[in-house]
Amino acid sequence: MTGVRLQLLGRFQVRRDGEEVPPAAFGGRKVRTLLRVLAVHGGDLVPHDVLADAVWPQRLPADPAGNLGVLVNRARRALGDPAVVVTGSGGYALGGCAVDVTEFLTHLGAARYAAALALWGEPLPEDAYADWATGPRDRLRRAHVEACEGAARSALARGAPAEATRTAAEAVAADPLRESSTVLLAEALAACGDRAGAVSRLDELCRALATELGVAPSDEVVVLRERLARRGVGVPAPGGPPRSAPVRASVAGLAFVGRDDELDRLRAAVDAGRVVGLAGAAGTGKSRLLAELGRALDVPVVAAQAYLAERDEAWGLARSVLREALLLDAGIADALPARTRGALAELLPELSCDDVPAALDGESRRALVLAGGLRILEAAGAPLIVDDLQWADPSSLALLGSVLARVPTLPAVLAFRPAETGADVLDRLRQARGLPTLALRPLAAAALGGLVDDPELLDALAAGTDRTPFAVGEVLRGLAAAGAVVHAQGRWRPAAPDAADRARELGRAGQRRGIARRAARHRGVAADLLALVAIARREVPARVVASAAGTDARDVLDTLAALAADGLLRLGEAGWTTAHDLVAETVADGLDRADRGRLHALLARALADDGADPAEVARHHRDAGDSRAAAEAYGRAATAALDAHATREAAALADAGLALQPAADVAAVLLEARGAARVVHGDIDGAAADLRAALTGPGPDRSRRRARLAMLSSGARDPQAAADLAELALVEAGDDAGARALALETAAVLDVNLGHTARAADRAEEALAVYRRLGDAQGVARILDGRAMAVFLDGRIAEAVALFGRVADLFAGSGDLLRVVTPRSTRGHGLVFLGRPADGLDETDAALRLARDLDSPEGVAYACWHRSEALSALGRTDEAEAAAHEALTVARSLGHRGWTATAHRALGIALQTRGDLDGAAAEFTESALVAGDSLTLFASWAAARLAQVALAQGRDATAHIARARSIGPPLGHREIP
């Protein structure tokens, strides 16, 4: 098959040259909605306003026509053919492509009923609740009934009553009150020899007409019933089996019952702009309730779901959330700064553009993604609805927490399984806005009456199941598959006398056993495909499933569709996944160990070939029993996460790899990654232990690790021990230029702290030359940063302030935003020394915002100290004390001596400004004790401030002044009275 073909009957899919175009290729659901709207209009031009109302039914974007243009461009790009969507005057039309609906209607018009029915499926199921689809769906359903009746009449005419029974029963199931369909079914049953069944069908119709419509049946129905009821009256001879199997109704559309109170409470929370949690175990109906909430609200929503396989992959959930938000209004992306847009393009390739600045480092990308995500969700202004929060990755949780804290009016509903959600996750979200939680209970027995139209069957369901929607649905599914129940007038009723007994039996067997029975019906390749999707625990493209199974992709699609029709799989945004988490768990648990390992190995290979995240590949290698391959993949994943500044994910991945007890070379990579992650989050002791344990491998590798270990000890522990490590790093670097430059840079910083200024300058100059030769812009900026700090410590503050500004710009220009915090904040401190506290506050505030965005506690402590001193200089002492207390809390949690000493200094200055001299003296004394003799600048500052307080209290300050003058660089002497 060549060209493009759209399928609207059954699940929506688009095929290009016979291959399905993955849903993810369209960049969101609204692009596919646009294509469906165009498809139901054939080749007619659809005006912009009609399209916009269909795509954005709840709230139009600011520029509907412009947003439609964005969606059209995405559709053309995904289909690889600009002619598929034609631009007209004031609208768009579908171009040259095939549509199954058009083919269906063409066959019907030509009385080719079998060909028409071969194409049939539920029309536009994705748009079941969309106003624009109501008319097309109704017309197609009527056409389906006409096709079924035509096929039944044709079958009767050629003497095939069994076939006529099946198609007539399909028509009756679609429209139970349509007399012509029931008459055809009765005639077909009678022709099969089932006179009693035919009479029963006519009686059901008569009762339904009286109950539902209050009318009597037509004369045709009455006459046929009387004729069939009299024995010996002409009945066509049997032409098939005496009874044909009934048409089995689908349980996929189980009615939404018993959750009206919960739905009202969630709606009220959203209307009030609150955040609420929705807690419930698997099968309690969280996902269905969220779907109904989204439909019930009068505003557009941003809805997304987390997956188990993405738990340690940075930004998995965030990607879905942001993509959904941008689909509400493409203009939001246009308003993003170029650098922010470039960082987000790493997650959302559709945002890429030509004017994005140079590449960013991982820390900077993370900061910009957080900031950009905040902008997008704030601009969208739509309630957040998140499902399966228990599987959200830490980076996505950081974004959610940041957005909820900074946009206090944004409502959100966060659904999770309590038993699988860590207390730390819920605590972080509670800190943002609070998280009152609604717990889902089993359905009340009375609520089941909305599903079942029979007291005995209702009692069987209530007593035989745990009354969760999934369990009830599984029992009904099993009963329908056996022909024991039928669906009529919106509820299920018995079709067999023992339906209630069967329901009790199925309920006792449990929902997992019902899933297992359905899964067991699929054997061979189908069983493998189902198992592969189940163990993937995420949406997987069909090409990956086909690669893992070693099967042709086109055949795989047909099999996956059959599994979906049986309620085992569904097609999501990014590929195929199980219809419910319990399906995945049941199928996976049912595999024997050898088969499970085989499938994990196949999936690991296929995912690696497809360029999947190494964390996912590692998990499958591990579950396949290949510890070496798994540990190596975990190492790659942890390093990649660290490079992206996804430090919590990096630590978790490193832990998973180390748990496999890998070889020394692989363990060193994992230890180094975990150590770096621990540094960022303040676990200095743990980081140092990891880096010491990682001191293996070639000399240059050991040199880099020793240099990093030295920097850990520089201000946080023992400067002299750090200097010794730096000297060892210099020796081990050998001829490796990069390792030597890093060791020289580290040694220079430590020399400054120990007062070896001349040697520090020489080493910095040598490192600078090496970095320039290597073209390492960030290395150059770091050395110049050290030079600026040396000028500052020398007391040349105005010169240092100018240098810090240049250094901050260099770091920003090279993409290393994390290192912007220190020079920006220190510049603010220098401006306070120069008598410009308002300007200094602006600089420290900017640095503090960046440190928070980067999730850098050390940066927060540093900037809070400087911010406190600027606020004190402006006389805003309450704010100054608060900033100092925050700096002290963070510094203590880090175990960082330097920033603990400066936090005490900042608090002392605030108290001194307020006039609390005793309190100030206590803080300056504590700062001196923490600084000791090794942190000379901070010790000098503490002594100078103690001298100021002593003189203000009329006490002798000689000892303090002498101490201040005898220790520390010139900068420390500026405050000596």
Side-chain angles (χ1 to χ4, degrees), residues 41 92 154 174 206 234 238 248 255 268 309 319 431 659 736-737 776 867:
H41 286 82
Y92 296 97
S154 176
C206 294
R248 292 164 184 167
R319 180 182 294 106
Q431 290 168 8
D736 188 292
D776 187 340
R867 184 173 190 270

mmCIF file of all heavy atoms in Angstrom, residues 41 92 154 174 206 234 238 248 255 268 309 319 431 659 736-737 776 867:
data_model
loop_
_atom_site.group_PDB
_atom_site.id
_atom_site.type_symbol
_atom_site.label_atom_id
_atom_site.label_comp_id
_atom_site.label_asym_id
_atom_site.label_seq_id
_atom_site.Cartn_x
_atom_site.Cartn_y
_atom_site.Cartn_z
ATOM 1 N N HIS A 41 -14.721 15.434 7.238
ATOM 2 C CA HIS A 41 -15.282 16.355 6.254
ATOM 3 C C HIS A 41 -14.875 15.986 4.827
ATOM 4 O O HIS A 41 -15.106 16.767 3.894
ATOM 5 C CB HIS A 41 -14.847 17.799 6.551
ATOM 6 C CG HIS A 41 -15.547 18.405 7.725
ATOM 7 N ND1 HIS A 41 -15.156 18.182 9.025
ATOM 8 C CD2 HIS A 41 -16.632 19.213 7.792
ATOM 9 C CE1 HIS A 41 -15.947 18.845 9.851
ATOM 10 N NE2 HIS A 41 -16.863 19.477 9.131
ATOM 11 N N TYR A 92 -8.601 24.819 6.142
ATOM 12 C CA TYR A 92 -7.774 23.728 5.628
ATOM 13 C C TYR A 92 -8.688 22.594 5.171
ATOM 14 O O TYR A 92 -9.838 22.473 5.612
ATOM 15 C CB TYR A 92 -6.826 23.198 6.701
ATOM 16 C CG TYR A 92 -5.808 24.207 7.172
ATOM 17 C CD1 TYR A 92 -6.026 24.957 8.329
ATOM 18 C CD2 TYR A 92 -4.623 24.409 6.463
ATOM 19 C CE1 TYR A 92 -5.096 25.881 8.770
ATOM 20 C CE2 TYR A 92 -3.686 25.340 6.900
ATOM 21 C CZ TYR A 92 -3.929 26.073 8.048
ATOM 22 O OH TYR A 92 -3.009 26.989 8.471
ATOM 23 N N SER A 154 -29.135 -10.039 2.796
ATOM 24 C CA SER A 154 -28.426 -10.733 1.722
ATOM 25 C C SER A 154 -28.140 -12.178 2.099
ATOM 26 O O SER A 154 -28.292 -13.105 1.276
ATOM 27 C CB SER A 154 -27.116 -9.991 1.415
ATOM 28 O OG SER A 154 -26.356 -10.668 0.445
ATOM 29 N N ALA A 174 -26.395 -2.711 18.429
ATOM 30 C CA ALA A 174 -26.089 -1.298 18.187
ATOM 31 C C ALA A 174 -27.305 -0.408 18.420
ATOM 32 O O ALA A 174 -27.167 0.733 18.873
ATOM 33 C CB ALA A 174 -25.570 -1.115 16.757
ATOM 34 N N CYS A 206 -40.739 -5.747 22.398
ATOM 35 C CA CYS A 206 -42.021 -5.181 22.807
ATOM 36 C C CYS A 206 -41.941 -4.574 24.203
ATOM 37 O O CYS A 206 -42.450 -3.472 24.460
ATOM 38 C CB CYS A 206 -43.111 -6.259 22.769
ATOM 39 S SG CYS A 206 -43.484 -6.860 21.103
ATOM 40 N N GLY A 234 -45.554 -21.804 8.449
ATOM 41 C CA GLY A 234 -44.342 -21.813 7.631
ATOM 42 C C GLY A 234 -43.161 -21.084 8.232
ATOM 43 O O GLY A 234 -43.235 -19.898 8.499
ATOM 44 N N PRO A 238 -34.073 -24.936 8.323
ATOM 45 C CA PRO A 238 -32.764 -24.604 8.898
ATOM 46 C C PRO A 238 -31.673 -24.631 7.846
ATOM 47 O O PRO A 238 -31.631 -25.545 7.023
ATOM 48 C CB PRO A 238 -32.553 -25.701 9.953
ATOM 49 C CG PRO A 238 -33.939 -26.181 10.275
ATOM 50 C CD PRO A 238 -34.714 -26.070 9.004
ATOM 51 N N ARG A 248 -20.999 -10.890 21.352
ATOM 52 C CA ARG A 248 -20.520 -10.594 22.700
ATOM 53 C C ARG A 248 -20.164 -9.127 22.823
ATOM 54 O O ARG A 248 -19.306 -8.626 22.094
ATOM 55 C CB ARG A 248 -19.314 -11.467 23.035
ATOM 56 C CG ARG A 248 -19.721 -12.937 23.155
ATOM 57 C CD ARG A 248 -18.535 -13.859 23.096
ATOM 58 N NE ARG A 248 -18.984 -15.250 23.130
ATOM 59 C CZ ARG A 248 -18.201 -16.273 22.853
ATOM 60 N NH1 ARG A 248 -16.963 -16.072 22.512
ATOM 61 N NH2 ARG A 248 -18.672 -17.495 22.916
ATOM 62 N N ALA A 255 -19.648 1.623 32.371
ATOM 63 C CA ALA A 255 -20.218 2.909 32.775
ATOM 64 C C ALA A 255 -19.506 3.446 34.016
ATOM 65 O O ALA A 255 -19.024 2.690 34.863
ATOM 66 C CB ALA A 255 -21.708 2.750 33.040
ATOM 67 N N ALA A 268 -14.574 20.715 42.977
ATOM 68 C CA ALA A 268 -14.568 21.852 43.892
ATOM 69 C C ALA A 268 -13.150 22.299 44.207
ATOM 70 O O ALA A 268 -12.862 23.503 44.288
ATOM 71 C CB ALA A 268 -15.317 21.482 45.181
ATOM 72 N N ALA A 309 8.858 2.447 34.275
ATOM 73 C CA ALA A 309 10.166 2.359 33.620
ATOM 74 C C ALA A 309 10.871 3.703 33.557
ATOM 75 O O ALA A 309 12.067 3.758 33.290
ATOM 76 C CB ALA A 309 10.008 1.799 32.209
ATOM 77 N N ARG A 319 8.193 15.796 30.480
ATOM 78 C CA ARG A 319 8.060 15.880 29.020
ATOM 79 C C ARG A 319 6.584 15.811 28.621
ATOM 80 O O ARG A 319 6.106 16.606 27.801
ATOM 81 C CB ARG A 319 8.843 14.732 28.367
ATOM 82 C CG ARG A 319 8.774 14.734 26.850
ATOM 83 C CD ARG A 319 9.521 13.547 26.265
ATOM 84 N NE ARG A 319 10.970 13.630 26.510
ATOM 85 C CZ ARG A 319 11.634 12.899 27.380
ATOM 86 N NH1 ARG A 319 10.999 12.002 28.115
ATOM 87 N NH2 ARG A 319 12.932 13.042 27.540
ATOM 88 N N GLN A 431 5.064 20.613 51.149
ATOM 89 C CA GLN A 431 5.758 21.860 51.455
ATOM 90 C C GLN A 431 5.463 22.936 50.420
ATOM 91 O O GLN A 431 5.474 24.124 50.719
ATOM 92 C CB GLN A 431 7.270 21.613 51.537
ATOM 93 C CG GLN A 431 7.689 20.807 52.757
ATOM 94 C CD GLN A 431 9.133 20.334 52.676
ATOM 95 O OE1 GLN A 431 9.864 20.726 51.781
ATOM 96 N NE2 GLN A 431 9.533 19.482 53.613
ATOM 97 N N ALA A 659 24.905 -2.190 43.388
ATOM 98 C CA ALA A 659 24.274 -3.349 44.031
ATOM 99 C C ALA A 659 24.576 -4.646 43.289
ATOM 100 O O ALA A 659 24.449 -5.729 43.853
ATOM 101 C CB ALA A 659 22.763 -3.136 44.112
ATOM 102 N N ASP A 736 48.847 13.909 30.742
ATOM 103 C CA ASP A 736 47.468 14.175 30.330
ATOM 104 C C ASP A 736 47.145 15.655 30.592
ATOM 105 O O ASP A 736 47.038 16.082 31.750
ATOM 106 C CB ASP A 736 46.505 13.271 31.110
ATOM 107 C CG ASP A 736 45.081 13.363 30.593
ATOM 108 O OD1 ASP A 736 44.462 14.427 30.754
ATOM 109 O OD2 ASP A 736 44.584 12.369 30.037
ATOM 110 N N ALA A 737 46.980 16.428 29.522
ATOM 111 C CA ALA A 737 46.833 17.882 29.654
ATOM 112 C C ALA A 737 45.577 18.250 30.439
ATOM 113 O O ALA A 737 45.608 19.144 31.305
ATOM 114 C CB ALA A 737 46.787 18.530 28.264
ATOM 115 N N ASP A 776 39.080 24.943 26.138
ATOM 116 C CA ASP A 776 38.107 24.708 27.208
ATOM 117 C C ASP A 776 37.651 26.051 27.770
ATOM 118 O O ASP A 776 38.290 26.634 28.650
ATOM 119 C CB ASP A 776 38.755 23.852 28.302
ATOM 120 C CG ASP A 776 37.764 23.425 29.382
ATOM 121 O OD1 ASP A 776 36.712 24.057 29.513
ATOM 122 O OD2 ASP A 776 38.068 22.454 30.108
ATOM 123 N N ARG A 867 23.134 38.074 50.583
ATOM 124 C CA ARG A 867 21.868 38.803 50.565
ATOM 125 C C ARG A 867 21.566 39.402 51.938
ATOM 126 O O ARG A 867 21.081 40.532 52.044
ATOM 127 C CB ARG A 867 20.740 37.845 50.164
ATOM 128 C CG ARG A 867 19.387 38.510 50.023
ATOM 129 C CD ARG A 867 18.347 37.536 49.451
ATOM 130 N NE ARG A 867 17.129 38.245 49.108
ATOM 131 C CZ ARG A 867 16.122 38.439 49.940
ATOM 132 N NH1 ARG A 867 16.195 37.951 51.175
ATOM 133 N NH2 ARG A 867 15.046 39.103 49.557
#
